[in-house]
Amino acid sequence: MSDKILRIGIVAGEASGDILAAGLIKQLKKRFPNATFEGIAGPKMQAQGCQTLFDMEELSVMGLVEVLSRIRRLMFVRKTLVNHFLANPPDVFIGVDAPDFNLGVELKLKNHGIRTVQYVSPTVWAWRENRIFKIAKATHMVLSIFPFEKQVYDKYQIPCEFVGHTMADDIAIKPDQQKAREALKIKENEVVLALLPGSRKREVETLFDVFIQSCLLLKSDIKKFKVLIPVVNRQRKAQVDEYIQTRKPDLDIQVVIGHAREVMIASDAVLLASGTATLEAMLCKKNMVAAYKLSGLTYQMMKWLYKAKYFALPNVLAGEKIVPELLQNDVTPEAISQLLVPMLTQQNTEAQQLLIRKFEALHESLKKDADVQSAAVVSSLIGQPL
Protein backbone atom coordinates (compact mmCIF):
# COMPACT_ATOMS: atom_id res chain seq x y z
CA MET A 1 0.00 0.00 0.00
CA SER A 2 1.23 3.46 -0.92
CA ASP A 3 0.09 6.94 0.13
CA LYS A 4 1.08 8.21 -3.30
CA ILE A 5 -1.64 10.26 -4.99
CA LEU A 6 -2.13 8.91 -8.49
CA ARG A 7 -4.34 9.94 -11.39
CA ILE A 8 -5.21 6.97 -13.56
CA GLY A 9 -6.95 7.27 -16.92
CA ILE A 10 -8.93 4.23 -18.00
CA VAL A 11 -11.32 3.53 -20.89
CA ALA A 12 -13.56 0.51 -21.50
CA GLY A 13 -15.83 0.20 -24.52
CA GLU A 14 -18.32 -2.54 -23.62
CA ALA A 15 -19.65 -4.77 -20.87
CA SER A 16 -16.80 -7.30 -20.92
CA GLY A 17 -14.22 -4.51 -20.62
CA ASP A 18 -16.21 -2.98 -17.78
CA ILE A 19 -15.79 -6.23 -15.83
CA LEU A 20 -12.03 -6.39 -16.43
CA ALA A 21 -11.50 -2.72 -15.65
CA ALA A 22 -13.57 -2.82 -12.46
CA GLY A 23 -11.48 -5.69 -11.10
CA LEU A 24 -8.27 -3.88 -11.97
CA ILE A 25 -9.47 -0.64 -10.35
CA LYS A 26 -10.41 -2.50 -7.17
CA GLN A 27 -6.92 -3.98 -6.84
CA LEU A 28 -5.16 -0.73 -7.73
CA LYS A 29 -7.17 1.03 -4.99
CA LYS A 30 -5.78 -1.50 -2.50
CA ARG A 31 -2.24 -0.56 -3.55
CA PHE A 32 -2.93 3.15 -3.93
CA PRO A 33 -5.89 4.18 -1.71
CA ASN A 34 -5.53 7.83 -2.77
CA ALA A 35 -5.67 7.10 -6.50
CA THR A 36 -8.37 8.66 -8.65
CA PHE A 37 -9.76 7.11 -11.83
CA GLU A 38 -11.44 8.76 -14.81
CA GLY A 39 -12.08 8.08 -18.48
CA ILE A 40 -14.96 6.18 -20.07
CA ALA A 41 -16.54 3.81 -17.60
CA GLY A 42 -19.34 1.30 -17.42
CA PRO A 43 -21.53 0.74 -14.35
CA LYS A 44 -19.13 -1.69 -12.65
CA MET A 45 -16.21 0.74 -13.04
CA GLN A 46 -18.34 3.61 -11.77
CA ALA A 47 -19.28 1.51 -8.75
CA GLN A 48 -15.54 1.36 -8.01
CA GLY A 49 -15.37 5.16 -8.08
CA CYS A 50 -14.27 5.75 -11.68
CA GLN A 51 -15.53 9.04 -13.15
CA THR A 52 -16.80 8.80 -16.72
CA LEU A 53 -16.52 11.58 -19.29
CA PHE A 54 -18.79 9.84 -21.82
CA ASP A 55 -21.38 7.07 -21.74
CA MET A 56 -19.68 3.74 -22.47
CA GLU A 57 -22.44 3.02 -24.98
CA GLU A 58 -20.73 5.59 -27.26
CA LEU A 59 -17.98 3.05 -27.99
CA SER A 60 -20.18 -0.03 -28.25
CA VAL A 61 -19.89 -0.52 -32.00
CA MET A 62 -18.32 -3.40 -33.93
CA GLY A 63 -17.64 -4.15 -37.58
CA LEU A 64 -15.55 -2.43 -40.20
CA VAL A 65 -18.49 -0.89 -42.03
CA GLU A 66 -20.51 -0.22 -38.87
CA VAL A 67 -17.71 1.90 -37.38
CA LEU A 68 -17.69 4.12 -40.47
CA SER A 69 -21.29 5.19 -39.82
CA ARG A 70 -20.23 6.45 -36.37
CA ILE A 71 -16.78 7.71 -37.26
CA ARG A 72 -17.39 11.44 -36.76
CA ARG A 73 -18.80 10.96 -33.28
CA LEU A 74 -16.06 8.49 -32.32
CA MET A 75 -13.39 10.91 -33.53
CA PHE A 76 -14.97 13.70 -31.47
CA VAL A 77 -15.03 11.53 -28.35
CA ARG A 78 -11.41 10.44 -28.85
CA LYS A 79 -10.17 14.00 -29.51
CA THR A 80 -11.99 15.30 -26.43
CA LEU A 81 -10.57 12.51 -24.30
CA VAL A 82 -7.00 13.03 -25.57
CA ASN A 83 -7.18 16.78 -24.99
CA HIS A 84 -8.49 16.18 -21.48
CA PHE A 85 -5.64 13.87 -20.58
CA LEU A 86 -3.00 16.07 -22.19
CA ALA A 87 -4.28 19.00 -20.13
CA ASN A 88 -4.49 16.79 -17.01
CA PRO A 89 -1.79 14.11 -17.49
CA PRO A 90 -2.49 10.84 -15.67
CA ASP A 91 0.30 8.78 -14.15
CA VAL A 92 -0.81 5.96 -16.44
CA PHE A 93 -3.50 5.46 -19.07
CA ILE A 94 -5.10 2.02 -19.44
CA GLY A 95 -7.13 1.13 -22.50
CA VAL A 96 -9.30 -1.89 -21.82
CA ASP A 97 -10.09 -3.78 -25.03
CA ALA A 98 -11.76 -1.50 -27.70
CA PRO A 99 -8.40 -1.40 -29.55
CA ASP A 100 -9.58 0.61 -32.56
CA PHE A 101 -10.47 3.43 -30.19
CA ASN A 102 -7.92 2.98 -27.40
CA LEU A 103 -4.76 2.53 -29.46
CA GLY A 104 -5.30 5.94 -31.06
CA VAL A 105 -5.61 7.50 -27.59
CA GLU A 106 -2.59 5.58 -26.32
CA LEU A 107 -0.41 6.64 -29.25
CA LYS A 108 -1.13 10.35 -28.67
CA LEU A 109 -0.55 10.07 -24.92
CA LYS A 110 2.62 8.01 -25.19
CA ASN A 111 4.07 10.54 -27.63
CA HIS A 112 3.54 13.17 -24.92
CA GLY A 113 5.37 11.17 -22.25
CA ILE A 114 2.40 9.45 -20.58
CA ARG A 115 2.66 5.77 -19.66
CA THR A 116 0.16 3.62 -21.54
CA VAL A 117 -1.17 0.08 -21.09
CA GLN A 118 -3.44 -1.93 -23.40
CA TYR A 119 -5.41 -4.44 -21.33
CA VAL A 120 -6.62 -7.20 -23.70
CA SER A 121 -4.57 -7.69 -26.81
CA PRO A 122 -6.11 -6.91 -30.18
CA THR A 123 -6.65 -10.16 -32.10
CA VAL A 124 -3.31 -10.03 -33.90
CA TRP A 125 -3.30 -13.84 -33.77
CA ALA A 126 -6.46 -13.89 -35.92
CA TRP A 127 -6.06 -11.07 -38.41
CA ARG A 128 -3.78 -8.16 -39.34
CA GLU A 129 -0.76 -9.35 -37.37
CA ASN A 130 1.16 -6.31 -38.61
CA ARG A 131 -0.96 -4.23 -36.20
CA ILE A 132 1.51 -5.35 -33.57
CA PHE A 133 3.92 -2.61 -34.69
CA LYS A 134 1.28 0.06 -34.07
CA ILE A 135 0.61 -1.50 -30.69
CA ALA A 136 4.33 -1.29 -29.86
CA LYS A 137 4.37 2.41 -30.78
CA ALA A 138 1.26 3.13 -28.73
CA THR A 139 1.90 1.17 -25.54
CA HIS A 140 4.46 0.57 -22.85
CA MET A 141 2.82 -2.75 -21.91
CA VAL A 142 0.16 -5.16 -23.16
CA LEU A 143 -1.77 -7.28 -20.67
CA SER A 144 -2.96 -10.43 -22.43
CA ILE A 145 -5.85 -12.55 -21.20
CA PHE A 146 -5.07 -15.68 -23.25
CA PRO A 147 -1.81 -17.66 -23.02
CA PHE A 148 -1.17 -17.99 -26.75
CA GLU A 149 -1.19 -14.19 -27.25
CA LYS A 150 2.05 -13.59 -25.35
CA GLN A 151 3.91 -15.86 -27.80
CA VAL A 152 3.11 -13.43 -30.64
CA TYR A 153 4.45 -10.45 -28.67
CA ASP A 154 7.54 -12.35 -27.56
CA LYS A 155 8.29 -13.11 -31.22
CA TYR A 156 8.54 -9.37 -31.87
CA GLN A 157 10.13 -8.59 -28.46
CA ILE A 158 7.25 -6.32 -27.45
CA PRO A 159 6.46 -6.02 -23.70
CA CYS A 160 3.51 -8.23 -22.83
CA GLU A 161 2.37 -10.07 -19.72
CA PHE A 162 -0.18 -12.88 -19.61
CA VAL A 163 -2.41 -12.17 -16.60
CA GLY A 164 -5.26 -14.63 -17.16
CA HIS A 165 -8.94 -13.71 -17.13
CA THR A 166 -10.81 -12.30 -14.16
CA MET A 167 -13.91 -14.36 -15.02
CA ALA A 168 -11.88 -17.55 -14.66
CA ASP A 169 -11.03 -16.45 -11.12
CA ASP A 170 -14.60 -15.51 -10.23
CA ILE A 171 -16.42 -18.58 -11.53
CA ALA A 172 -16.14 -21.92 -9.71
CA ILE A 173 -14.59 -24.81 -11.60
CA LYS A 174 -17.78 -26.72 -10.79
CA PRO A 175 -20.63 -24.18 -10.68
CA ASP A 176 -23.68 -24.90 -8.50
CA GLN A 177 -26.59 -25.16 -10.95
CA GLN A 178 -29.18 -26.01 -8.29
CA LYS A 179 -28.32 -22.93 -6.24
CA ALA A 180 -28.60 -20.72 -9.33
CA ARG A 181 -31.96 -22.22 -10.27
CA GLU A 182 -33.30 -21.66 -6.77
CA ALA A 183 -32.10 -18.04 -6.80
CA LEU A 184 -33.92 -17.44 -10.09
CA LYS A 185 -37.02 -19.33 -8.88
CA ILE A 186 -36.86 -21.86 -11.70
CA LYS A 187 -39.15 -24.84 -11.22
CA GLU A 188 -37.62 -28.28 -11.06
CA ASN A 189 -39.23 -29.58 -14.25
CA GLU A 190 -38.57 -26.48 -16.40
CA VAL A 191 -36.14 -26.76 -19.31
CA VAL A 192 -34.25 -23.48 -19.48
CA LEU A 193 -32.49 -21.87 -22.42
CA ALA A 194 -30.28 -18.87 -21.64
CA LEU A 195 -30.54 -16.49 -24.59
CA LEU A 196 -27.91 -13.75 -24.97
CA PRO A 197 -28.30 -11.79 -28.21
CA GLY A 198 -25.31 -9.48 -27.54
CA SER A 199 -24.43 -6.33 -25.64
CA ARG A 200 -24.52 -3.98 -28.64
CA LYS A 201 -27.64 -2.46 -30.20
CA ARG A 202 -26.77 -3.72 -33.68
CA GLU A 203 -26.17 -7.29 -32.44
CA VAL A 204 -29.64 -7.39 -30.92
CA GLU A 205 -31.16 -5.91 -34.09
CA THR A 206 -29.45 -8.59 -36.17
CA LEU A 207 -29.78 -11.69 -34.00
CA PHE A 208 -32.75 -11.37 -31.65
CA ASP A 209 -35.48 -12.21 -34.15
CA VAL A 210 -33.75 -15.33 -35.45
CA PHE A 211 -33.05 -16.39 -31.85
CA ILE A 212 -36.72 -16.02 -30.92
CA GLN A 213 -37.80 -17.91 -34.06
CA SER A 214 -35.43 -20.71 -32.98
CA CYS A 215 -37.09 -20.78 -29.57
CA LEU A 216 -40.54 -21.09 -31.15
CA LEU A 217 -39.32 -24.18 -33.00
CA LEU A 218 -37.86 -25.58 -29.79
CA LYS A 219 -41.13 -25.09 -27.93
CA SER A 220 -42.83 -27.63 -30.20
CA ASP A 221 -40.27 -30.28 -29.15
CA ILE A 222 -39.74 -29.46 -25.48
CA LYS A 223 -42.30 -29.38 -22.67
CA LYS A 224 -42.02 -26.79 -19.88
CA PHE A 225 -39.68 -24.73 -22.05
CA LYS A 226 -38.52 -21.43 -20.53
CA VAL A 227 -36.33 -18.69 -22.03
CA LEU A 228 -34.22 -16.49 -19.76
CA ILE A 229 -32.70 -13.37 -21.33
CA PRO A 230 -30.08 -11.44 -19.34
CA VAL A 231 -29.33 -8.02 -20.85
CA VAL A 232 -26.38 -5.76 -20.04
CA ASN A 233 -28.23 -2.48 -19.42
CA ARG A 234 -31.55 -0.63 -19.58
CA GLN A 235 -31.03 0.33 -23.22
CA ARG A 236 -30.82 -3.32 -24.28
CA LYS A 237 -33.75 -4.24 -22.04
CA ALA A 238 -35.89 -1.56 -23.68
CA GLN A 239 -34.86 -2.87 -27.10
CA VAL A 240 -35.72 -6.48 -26.18
CA ASP A 241 -38.96 -5.51 -24.42
CA GLU A 242 -40.14 -3.52 -27.45
CA TYR A 243 -39.61 -6.56 -29.70
CA ILE A 244 -41.48 -8.86 -27.32
CA GLN A 245 -44.38 -6.44 -26.84
CA THR A 246 -44.67 -5.88 -30.59
CA ARG A 247 -44.36 -9.51 -31.75
CA LYS A 248 -45.80 -11.22 -28.66
CA PRO A 249 -44.07 -14.59 -29.27
CA ASP A 250 -45.89 -17.50 -27.63
CA LEU A 251 -43.06 -18.28 -25.22
CA ASP A 252 -42.38 -18.26 -21.49
CA ILE A 253 -39.80 -15.45 -21.49
CA GLN A 254 -38.15 -13.68 -18.57
CA VAL A 255 -35.87 -10.67 -19.19
CA VAL A 256 -33.47 -9.50 -16.48
CA ILE A 257 -30.85 -6.75 -16.34
CA GLY A 258 -27.48 -8.27 -15.49
CA HIS A 259 -27.13 -11.68 -13.82
CA ALA A 260 -25.91 -13.26 -17.08
CA ARG A 261 -23.63 -15.60 -15.17
CA GLU A 262 -26.36 -16.83 -12.84
CA VAL A 263 -28.72 -17.30 -15.78
CA MET A 264 -26.15 -19.34 -17.70
CA ILE A 265 -25.31 -21.52 -14.70
CA ALA A 266 -29.02 -22.15 -14.07
CA SER A 267 -29.73 -23.00 -17.72
CA ASP A 268 -29.68 -26.33 -19.52
CA ALA A 269 -28.00 -24.78 -22.59
CA VAL A 270 -27.06 -21.37 -23.96
CA LEU A 271 -27.78 -19.61 -27.26
CA LEU A 272 -25.64 -16.52 -27.67
CA ALA A 273 -23.93 -13.99 -29.88
CA SER A 274 -20.30 -14.93 -30.34
CA GLY A 275 -17.96 -12.84 -28.21
CA THR A 276 -16.77 -12.74 -24.62
CA ALA A 277 -20.08 -14.28 -23.54
CA THR A 278 -18.98 -17.58 -25.12
CA LEU A 279 -15.99 -17.57 -22.78
CA GLU A 280 -18.27 -16.99 -19.79
CA ALA A 281 -20.59 -19.78 -20.92
CA MET A 282 -17.58 -22.09 -21.19
CA LEU A 283 -16.45 -21.13 -17.67
CA CYS A 284 -20.02 -21.84 -16.49
CA LYS A 285 -19.58 -25.30 -18.09
CA LYS A 286 -22.56 -24.89 -20.39
CA ASN A 287 -23.17 -26.45 -23.76
CA MET A 288 -23.89 -23.67 -26.23
CA VAL A 289 -24.57 -22.57 -29.77
CA ALA A 290 -22.59 -19.47 -30.77
CA ALA A 291 -23.86 -17.38 -33.67
CA TYR A 292 -22.92 -14.14 -35.39
CA LYS A 293 -24.00 -12.06 -38.37
CA LEU A 294 -22.05 -9.17 -39.87
CA SER A 295 -23.08 -6.67 -42.52
CA GLY A 296 -22.52 -8.06 -46.01
CA LEU A 297 -19.51 -5.85 -46.78
CA THR A 298 -17.89 -6.41 -43.39
CA TYR A 299 -18.35 -10.17 -43.81
CA GLN A 300 -16.68 -10.15 -47.25
CA MET A 301 -13.75 -8.15 -45.87
CA MET A 302 -13.38 -10.39 -42.82
CA LYS A 303 -13.40 -13.53 -44.99
CA TRP A 304 -10.27 -12.16 -46.62
CA LEU A 305 -8.60 -10.80 -43.47
CA TYR A 306 -9.48 -13.32 -40.73
CA LYS A 307 -6.96 -16.15 -40.57
CA ALA A 308 -8.03 -18.08 -37.43
CA LYS A 309 -9.86 -21.35 -38.02
CA TYR A 310 -12.61 -20.60 -35.48
CA PHE A 311 -14.34 -17.54 -34.07
CA ALA A 312 -16.05 -18.79 -30.88
CA LEU A 313 -13.57 -18.37 -28.02
CA PRO A 314 -13.91 -21.91 -26.58
CA ASN A 315 -12.92 -23.27 -29.99
CA VAL A 316 -10.07 -20.77 -30.37
CA LEU A 317 -8.71 -21.69 -26.94
CA ALA A 318 -9.10 -25.45 -27.51
CA GLY A 319 -7.68 -25.35 -31.03
CA GLU A 320 -10.59 -27.54 -32.12
CA LYS A 321 -14.32 -27.22 -32.66
CA ILE A 322 -15.76 -28.19 -29.28
CA VAL A 323 -18.91 -26.03 -29.51
CA PRO A 324 -21.08 -25.33 -32.58
CA GLU A 325 -20.53 -21.95 -34.22
CA LEU A 326 -22.78 -20.50 -36.91
CA LEU A 327 -21.85 -17.53 -39.05
CA GLN A 328 -23.77 -15.33 -41.47
CA ASN A 329 -26.18 -17.29 -43.72
CA ASP A 330 -25.84 -20.39 -41.51
CA VAL A 331 -27.59 -18.49 -38.70
CA THR A 332 -31.13 -19.78 -39.22
CA PRO A 333 -33.87 -20.88 -36.80
CA GLU A 334 -33.78 -24.39 -38.24
CA ALA A 335 -30.01 -24.83 -37.83
CA ILE A 336 -30.01 -23.36 -34.33
CA SER A 337 -32.95 -25.40 -33.05
CA GLN A 338 -31.55 -28.66 -34.45
CA LEU A 339 -28.32 -28.08 -32.55
CA LEU A 340 -30.07 -27.11 -29.32
CA VAL A 341 -32.63 -29.91 -29.06
CA PRO A 342 -30.16 -32.60 -27.92
CA MET A 343 -28.39 -30.12 -25.61
CA LEU A 344 -31.68 -29.35 -23.86
CA THR A 345 -33.13 -32.86 -23.76
CA GLN A 346 -30.16 -35.19 -23.32
CA GLN A 347 -28.40 -34.37 -20.06
CA ASN A 348 -25.24 -35.95 -18.62
CA THR A 349 -24.35 -37.93 -21.74
CA GLU A 350 -20.80 -39.20 -22.18
CA ALA A 351 -20.19 -36.55 -24.84
CA GLN A 352 -21.35 -33.79 -22.50
CA GLN A 353 -19.13 -35.04 -19.69
CA LEU A 354 -16.15 -35.05 -22.06
CA LEU A 355 -16.98 -31.47 -23.09
CA ILE A 356 -17.16 -30.38 -19.46
CA ARG A 357 -13.73 -31.89 -18.77
CA LYS A 358 -12.31 -29.91 -21.70
CA PHE A 359 -13.99 -26.77 -20.37
CA GLU A 360 -12.48 -27.39 -16.92
CA ALA A 361 -8.97 -27.76 -18.35
CA LEU A 362 -9.33 -24.52 -20.30
CA HIS A 363 -10.72 -22.84 -17.18
CA GLU A 364 -7.64 -23.86 -15.17
CA SER A 365 -5.35 -22.44 -17.87
CA LEU A 366 -6.97 -18.99 -17.49
CA LYS A 367 -7.24 -18.96 -13.68
CA LYS A 368 -4.27 -16.75 -12.73
CA ASP A 369 -5.72 -14.18 -10.27
CA ALA A 370 -5.99 -11.68 -13.13
CA ASP A 371 -7.07 -8.62 -11.14
CA VAL A 372 -4.07 -8.91 -8.81
CA GLN A 373 -1.67 -9.78 -11.62
CA SER A 374 -2.75 -6.88 -13.83
CA ALA A 375 -2.60 -4.43 -10.91
CA ALA A 376 0.92 -5.63 -10.08
CA VAL A 377 2.10 -5.06 -13.66
CA VAL A 378 0.52 -1.59 -13.83
CA SER A 379 1.99 -0.67 -10.43
CA SER A 380 5.44 -1.78 -11.56
CA LEU A 381 5.13 0.26 -14.74
CA ILE A 382 4.20 3.39 -12.77
CA GLY A 383 7.45 3.09 -10.82
CA GLN A 384 9.65 2.78 -13.91
CA PRO A 385 11.35 5.75 -15.61
CA LEU A 386 10.08 6.53 -19.09
Side-chain angles (χ1 to χ4, degrees):
M1 185 180 294
S2 170
D3 292 332
K4 188 174 181 180
I5 299 175
L6 294 178
R7 291 187 66 254
I8 297 175
I10 187 163
V11 169
E14 59 181 318
S16 58
D18 188 33
I19 293 170
L20 295 174
L24 173 57
I25 290 170
K26 183 177 180 179
Q27 290 300 323
L28 285 171
K29 284 166 63 178
K30 289 182 179 179
R31 291 170 174 266
F32 305 102
N34 296 321
T36 60
F37 301 83
E38 63 176 348
I40 298 179
K44 294 186 187 317
M45 296 164 69
Q46 292 177 56
Q48 290 296 326
C50 184
Q51 299 299 309
T52 190
L53 303 176
F54 292 94
D55 192 316
M56 191 177 71
E57 185 83 0
E58 295 263 26
L59 306 187
S60 187
V61 57
M62 185 176 182
L64 302 173
V65 176
E66 292 78 3
V67 170
L68 293 176
S69 67
R70 295 277 308 281
I71 193 69
R72 291 183 66 181
R73 179 61 183 174
L74 290 169
M75 293 296 288
F76 170 78
V77 172
R78 186 157 71 183
K79 183 178 180 180
T80 304
L81 198 70
V82 168
N83 289 342
H84 173 80
F85 284 129
L86 291 181
N88 308 276
D91 293 277
V92 63
F93 174 84
I94 307 163
V96 185
D97 211 350
D100 292 326
F101 182 88
N102 277 326
L103 287 174
V105 177
E106 290 158 14
L107 181 62
K108 294 277 189 182
L109 299 185
K110 185 179 179 183
N111 286 341
H112 283 81
I114 296 171
R115 296 176 180 86
T116 60
V117 176
Q118 175 64 26
Y119 189 3
V120 182
S121 169
T123 53
V124 291
W125 44 269
W127 66 299
R128 289 170 54 203
E129 187 171 322
N130 61 349
R131 285 179 295 167
I132 203 163
F133 301 111
K134 179 182 178 181
I135 298 166
K137 289 180 181 178
T139 66
H140 291 93
M141 176 63 67
V142 175
L143 304 177
S144 76
I145 58 176
F146 301 130
F148 55 81
E149 293 173 324
K150 181 170 167 53
Q151 300 168 13
V152 181
Y153 287 88
D154 288 348
K155 181 172 74 172
Y156 293 100
Q157 297 182 316
I158 295 170
C160 175
E161 293 292 340
F162 167 56
V163 296
H165 202 294
T166 186
M167 286 197 300
D169 302 316
D170 292 343
I171 299 172
I173 296 292
K174 296 184 182 296
D176 189 336
Q177 184 185 39
Q178 186 59 36
K179 182 179 178 181
R181 290 177 74 93
E182 289 172 1
L184 292 165
K185 296 180 171 55
I186 297 170
K187 296 174 183 175
E188 188 174 341
N189 61 348
E190 286 182 318
V191 178
V192 177
L193 175 69
L195 193 156
L196 292 84
S199 61
R200 302 177 180 92
K201 180 181 178 182
R202 186 202 158 275
E203 289 174 329
V204 177
E205 289 173 345
T206 305
L207 291 171
F208 193 59
D209 182 66
V210 72
F211 280 9
I212 291 296
Q213 296 304 318
S214 305
C215 292
L216 289 169
L217 292 177
L218 288 167
K219 185 189 174 186
S220 64
D221 292 317
I222 301 170
K223 294 180 179 179
K224 302 291 185 181
F225 180 56
K226 184 180 183 69
V227 180
L228 282 179
I229 307 175
V231 291
V232 297
N233 54 35
R234 294 191 181 278
Q235 293 100 315
R236 293 295 79 77
K237 186 174 189 301
Q239 190 179 2
V240 167
D241 285 345
E242 182 182 6
Y243 176 97
I244 294 171
Q245 290 164 11
T246 303
R247 310 294 177 87
K248 294 182 171 56
D250 183 20
L251 291 165
D252 181 0
I253 298 177
Q254 182 179 347
V255 183
V256 295
I257 297 176
H259 305 290
R261 185 171 304 168
E262 292 83 355
V263 168
M264 285 195 272
I265 291 171
S267 71
D268 296 293
V270 182
L271 170 60
L272 71 176
S274 186
T276 304
T278 62
L279 176 68
E280 190 163 17
M282 181 198 85
L283 295 171
C284 292
K285 314 304 178 302
K286 288 299 161 181
N287 215 332
M288 72 190 83
V289 174
Y292 212 79
K293 295 186 80 170
L294 301 160
S295 72
L297 184 54
T298 298
Y299 175 62
Q300 292 303 320
M301 294 173 72
M302 289 302 293
K303 277 205 306 185
W304 179 61
L305 292 169
Y306 192 81
K307 63 182 182 180
K309 194 172 181 180
Y310 309 106
F311 64 87
L313 283 172
N315 296 338
V316 173
L317 285 164
E320 60 175 314
K321 190 173 183 180
I322 58 176
V323 302
E325 52 179 39
L326 300 173
L327 184 63
Q328 216 62 7
N329 294 333
D330 293 333
V331 182
T332 67
E334 293 76 17
I336 291 170
S337 60
Q338 286 174 12
L339 289 166
L340 282 171
V341 165
M343 296 181 191
L344 291 165
T345 59
Q346 301 171 20
Q347 299 297 312
N348 297 316
T349 64
E350 186 176 338
Q352 283 184 327
Q353 292 304 313
L354 175 61
L355 180 66
I356 288 171
R357 289 195 293 273
K358 289 182 178 181
F359 283 171
E360 289 174 346
L362 292 171
H363 190 153
E364 292 285 4
S365 74
L366 300 177
K367 191 176 174 65
K368 302 294 179 185
D369 208 355
D371 294 344
V372 173
Q373 295 276 9
S374 57
V377 176
V378 171
S379 301
S380 175
L381 184 66
I382 291 170
Q384 294 175 9
L386 288 170

